[in-house]
Amino acid sequence: MYNNLNELRTECLSCQNCKLCEGRTNVVFGVGNPNAKVMFIGEGPGEQEDLKGEPFVGRAGQLLDKMLYAVDLDRHKNIYITNIVKCRPPHNRDPEEDEQTACIGYLRAQTRLLRPKIIVALGRIAGMKLINPQLRITREHGIWTYTKGIWMMPMFHPAAILRNPNQTEEAFRDFIGLREKINEVCPEVYSTENS
Ligand code: URA
């Protein structure tokens, strides 16, 4: 058991639970407000994230930050961002099942410590792991489910939006839906103490 995110991070930084530890520059644990009520979960670090040790700092991350900003969310103020796997899969391939299984304990522990009211799964891989193994992201993005006290929604991955810009409008609609859900279940996210 861990008392706080820093203790958990320290443990995670020396993890050798799967083969991804062999190629990493940095473990990418997570970034954000340790009291955040809204968590964003991607699939795994890419090259820039591995180099910097922070999730979503490459091109996709820059787009994510812009979309967050549009609904008054900020990784350094009122949300927390992490990934299903904390180490970069080689050549940006999808994280394999055994790697996800080896790493999921860290995500569960992060979730237990943060106790979010809302989780946004960024992309198909995170959506399948967290919401529904059969998830079809093109059909089910933006749809809320409620499980064990947490509202969950899959969204398009920002890298997918970069590849396919005609998804931008739908993606923005999902962010507007997110803002509405925040106002409904945890409006304190937008209170001044968090900004
Ligand atoms: N894609 C992800 O899923 N996570 C990151 O941290 C970066 C890119």
Side-chain angles (χ1 to χ4, degrees), residues 28 41-46 49 54-58 60-61 81-83 122 157 159:
V28 180
I41 303 175
E43 62 183 68
E49 291 76 20
E54 182 173 330
F56 286 99
V57 291
I81 308 179
T82 188
N83 283 302
L122 289 168
H157 194 287

